[in-house]
Structure formats: structure tokens, C-alpha cells
Amino acid sequence: MDNKRDRESRKQKLRARLIDNETVWQEEEKEELRKKKKKRRRVRFVVAAVVIAMAAAGFIGYKVYQNSHQYTQAVVIWEKELAASVSSGYEAYGENVLRYTRDGAVYVDKTGEEVWNQAFEMKDPFAVVNGDYAAIADRNGYSIYICDKNGCQGTVTTTLPVSKMSISATGITVAVLEDTKSNTIAFYDKQGTKLKIEVQTTLAGNGYPIDLSISPNGMLLMVSYVYLDEGMMQNQVVFYNFDDEGQSIKDRLVGGFKEYGNSMVARVRFLDDTHACAFAQDRLCFYSLENTVKPEMVGQVDITGEIGSICYSHQYAGVLVRDGSSKKLFLYGNSGKEIFSRDIDRDYEYVEISGAHVLLYKEAECQIYNASGNLKFQGALPGSTDKLIYMGDNLYIQTGPQAMRGLELQ
């Protein structure tokens, strides 16, 4: 009996040791699996980090390359013939181009294909563009066509001749209608319906409107006036608010700036809803309208020399200045901070901001700078140039007297 009990006891101990060994082995196996999983996770993390770092480095490298790379030639990738006898105007419109003549307007995409056309008869057409909307008017005539990217949305027949015009990104159009004794600034919606808003001006009152600009949201109006002060011609810049905040303010006039004296402010522009710029003969003045009932001047740039050309966009304002025999291009942010300046060694007829690029061109000569001030291209274009429009990446549309071309800088 004792032997039998001993054998049974040894068997139980052996089974216990086997169970203990199996448990230990299982724990060791689990620990080994945990270590392997942890190692795999660590490897995957390192690989992912390396891939992300390489992608970021590649992206940064590509951006640096794009920012600093200078192209050497403009290659024609498509070309459309134009009627040589037709005088045309062009405006960059969205991602495409608006072409207008005395006989009508055509919206052309970046491959030169027609999207829509609108026939009309005008003696001296001019166009303004903002966001998805464009307006075409007959200067000193009586008709306005208001369009979006789908075509004409409304027409206006005025009782007085149109001299100046601006359009908002919401389709609100403002026009200066000229009379012998006074002028009216009239407002129209995108269907061409006259709104119950207008500003009456006389030379003895606010003055004669030299230029005007409506804000992208259509709520604020900026006007440059010439007025008489003790028999002397003076210039002022005035802001109006046609939103709810301006209802309680007399004539909705929320700000007037008379610092210009007899320096003519030939051009005023809203750069965005809260920033505007006035281009005077001897200075640029930048305004903030974050307080829509109390605009303030936030920057002034005094110009030494003669302003030969101006340019502007929703972010920037620029001038090409001639001082003696030297010429210099200046680009400023929307609060008046200088972005860059560059010496220009040639005479250019046109200076424009298209996209985030400054384009200088005359006939077939061209220089292009990006917003960092890097020269992207300097050289000849294929044929004479009436208008050059940046279309993104390294693509441009060139219009001339006889052809419209798509260009790729290489």
C-alpha cells in the first residue's frame, strides 16, 4: 500500500512539474510573441516615419525647386487664330479667360475652347471681373451685361451714360452714370435689377468720382473723388457701408480721407473684404475695414519717382517706379508691408499680378516673378502680346492681335 501511495504521489508531483513547466513555457512563448509584436510595431513606426520624412523632404524639395527654378523658354502647346480686324479685350476670369469685342463676349477655357458666348453691340466695351462674376459695359454708352461662368445672367439699360464700373464677387454691380450737373453711382443685382441704393455726387459736394471699387461681399464701396476746396482741386477717398451697420449713418458714409491734397488718386481697389488700397500719384495708402463703420489707414508708402504702372490682386498691390533712368518693381502685402523689390532693366508696357505671379511684358518681351521675388522667366514670347494670364503651375495664356496661345514654360 505504501509503495502504491508513493508511486501515486510521485506521479502527481511529476504531473505538477509538467503543468508548471508547460505554464512557464506558455508564458515564455507569450512574452516572446509580445516582444516580436512590439518589435514589428517599432519597425513599422520607423518605416512609416522614414516614409513620411522622405515624402515631406520630397515635397519641401519640390516646393523649393518650384519656388526658385527659372524657366528658359515658352513653348506653344495650342494656338487659336483670331480675326485680325477685331479689337479685343481680355480678363482673367476664374480658371479661364473672358474675351470681349464690340460684337460680344466669349468665355474661353484654358485649352482655348469656347464655353459660352454672348452677342451684343458696343462702341467701346470694357469689363470688370470679381470671383465668379463679370460685367461688360459700353463706356459712355447705356448697356451693361452681367455674367457668371454659365453665361449672361442679366442686362441693364441705363438712362445716363456709363463711365466707370465695379462688380462684387456676389454679382452686385455699381456704375457711375454721368450727367451734366451731377453723377449717380447706381447699384444693380446679378439679374440686372436696379437696387434702391444710389449715391448722388456733385463737384461742389463730395466731388467728381475718379474711380470706385465695391468689396467682394458687395457691402462696402470705396470711391476716389476730386472736389473743390476754396477754388483748388483736391482729392479724397471715401468709404460707404450698405450693410445693416450703415443704416443709421448719414448717407452711409463711414469714412473719408483727405490727406492726399492735390495728389490725384487715379485708382482705388478692394483687395479683399477687409483690405483696400488707394493708388495716388506719389503714394500708396492701405486701409483696413475690419471695423466696417470705421475704416482706418494702416499703411502708407511714399513713392520717390514716377509711378509708371500699377498692379493688384486679392493679396498684393504693386508699382513699377521710374526714377531717372532706373526702374524698380515693388510688391506689397494687403497692409502695406513690402514683400520684395527688384531692379528692372527694360521698359515694359504691362505690369500685372496674375495668380501669385507678377508679369511684366511688352510685345514679345517678358519677365515673370513669383511672390517670393524669384525670377521665374525672362525671355521672348512667341509673337506680340496684348495680354498674358497665369493659369497655374507653369501654364499661361497669351493673347495677341492675331492669335490666342497656350504656353508652357520649360
Side-chain angles (χ1 to χ4, degrees):
M1 287 292 292
D2 292 338
N3 290 335
K4 191 173 182 180
R5 288 196 190 96
D6 291 340
R7 284 197 301 272
E8 188 63 29
S9 177
R10 286 195 295 272
K11 287 180 181 179
Q12 290 177 357
K13 290 178 179 179
L14 180 59
R15 279 196 295 269
R17 284 198 298 270
L18 290 172
I19 291 170
D20 290 342
N21 289 338
E22 184 177 359
T23 301
V24 171
W25 179 82
Q26 288 175 344
E27 290 298 324
E28 290 177 348
E29 187 178 51
K30 289 180 181 179
E31 181 63 25
E32 186 65 25
L33 287 172
R34 280 195 293 270
K35 289 181 179 179
K36 288 181 178 179
K37 287 181 180 180
K38 187 175 181 180
K39 183 177 181 180
R40 284 198 295 270
R41 284 197 299 269
R42 189 162 55 244
V43 169
R44 283 197 296 267
F45 176 79
V46 171
V47 170
V50 170
V51 170
I52 292 171
M54 291 177 65
F59 178 77
I60 293 171
Y62 173 75
K63 285 297 184 181
V64 170
Y65 170 80
Q66 284 287 89
N67 190 49
S68 60
H69 178 69
Q70 184 172 333
Y71 299 97
T72 59
Q73 60 179 337
V75 176
V76 178
I77 55 177
W78 58 261
E79 184 169 355
K80 302 286 183 181
E81 290 187 3
L82 302 175
S85 60
V86 177
S87 177
S88 303
Y90 298 88
E91 294 290 339
Y93 186 21
E95 297 179 349
N96 301 316
V97 179
L98 179 68
R99 178 190 179 213
Y100 55 94
T101 68
R102 294 179 179 180
D103 300 322
V106 181
Y107 186 39
V108 181
D109 69 19
K110 62 178 64 178
T111 64
E113 297 299 322
E114 181 181 300
V115 178
W116 56 256
N117 67 76
Q118 174 64 49
F120 52 66
E121 291 184 7
M122 295 185 183
K123 293 182 179 180
D124 185 13
F126 70 104
V128 290
V129 172
N130 199 337
D132 290 340
Y133 288 92
I136 308 154
D138 194 3
R139 195 183 305 276
N140 298 320
Y142 301 86
S143 59
I144 302 173
Y145 286 75
I146 301 171
C147 308
D148 67 9
K149 293 180 180 180
N150 297 311
C152 183
Q153 301 301 310
T155 60
V156 177
T157 300
T158 63
T159 56
L160 295 169
V162 179
S163 63
K164 300 167 186 68
M165 184 173 59
S166 181
I167 192 168
S168 74
T170 60
I172 302 296
T173 300
V174 292
V176 176
L177 309 181
E178 294 210 354
D179 203 352
T180 53
K181 295 182 179 180
S182 64
N183 297 284
T184 300
I185 301 176
F187 289 68
Y188 305 90
D189 68 15
K190 59 187 177 183
Q191 284 82 33
T193 303
K194 191 174 187 298
L195 301 177
K196 295 180 180 180
I197 304 171
E198 65 178 28
V199 178
Q200 295 287 339
T201 70
T202 62
L203 189 59
N206 279 343
Y208 176 81
I210 298 297
D211 195 32
L212 79 170
S213 178
I214 190 169
S215 62
N217 61 17
M219 296 295 104
L220 301 169
L221 181 67
M222 180 184 193
V223 185
S224 169
Y225 286 112
V226 170
Y227 67 100
L228 285 174
D229 183 13
E230 298 181 352
M232 299 290 291
M233 284 287 191
Q234 301 290 300
N235 215 141
Q236 66 173 331
V237 171
V238 170
F239 291 91
Y240 300 89
N241 184 317
F242 295 99
D243 204 355
D244 294 340
E245 299 98 327
Q247 288 183 352
S248 60
I249 299 172
K250 184 181 178 181
D251 298 328
R252 293 183 177 266
L253 198 158
V254 293
F257 298 84
K258 296 186 175 183
E259 295 87 351
Y260 298 94
N262 61 2
S263 178
M264 180 73 69
V265 183
R267 190 68 56 85
V268 292
R269 279 298 178 270
F270 271 96
L271 306 180
D272 58 29
D273 283 327
T274 57
H275 295 90
C277 182
F279 297 84
Q281 286 176 303
D282 57 0
R283 75 196 81 167
L284 273 67
C285 294
F286 294 84
Y287 297 92
S288 170
L289 292 103
E290 291 184 2
N291 184 341
T292 57
V293 295
K294 192 176 181 181
E296 62 174 326
M297 187 188 294
V298 293
Q300 177 173 309
V301 178
D302 295 322
I303 302 298
T304 301
E306 177 189 357
I307 297 177
S309 300
I310 67 169
C311 53
Y312 45 83
S313 70
H314 68 284
Q315 288 181 291
Y316 307 107
V319 287
L320 182 62
V321 178
R322 295 182 176 89
D323 189 6
S325 60
S326 66
K327 294 172 287 295
K328 201 159 192 173
L329 172 67
F330 297 89
L331 187 70
Y332 304 94
N334 57 21
S335 294
K337 180 181 178 181
E338 184 176 313
I339 305 298
F340 71 80
S341 63
R342 293 291 181 270
D343 291 320
I344 304 299
D345 60 359
R346 302 183 187 187
D347 284 319
Y348 290 101
E349 186 175 357
Y350 304 102
V351 180
E352 298 173 355
I353 300 176
S354 186
H357 290 71
V358 184
L359 317 178
L360 303 93
Y361 54 97
K362 178 183 179 181
E363 296 179 349
E365 295 184 71
C366 178
Q367 280 189 9
I368 299 173
Y369 292 87
N370 64 15
S372 299
N374 294 322
L375 181 64
K376 301 297 293 177
F377 176 78
Q378 179 173 340
L381 299 176
S384 183
T385 306
D386 293 333
K387 186 81 170 180
L388 188 64
I389 301 172
Y390 175 66
M391 304 304 293
D393 294 329
N394 54 339
L395 301 176
Y396 293 79
I397 286 181
Q398 175 201 26
T399 63
Q402 295 181 339
M404 177 183 290
R405 303 178 184 91
L407 305 180
E408 180 179 9
L409 299 186
Q410 297 179 357

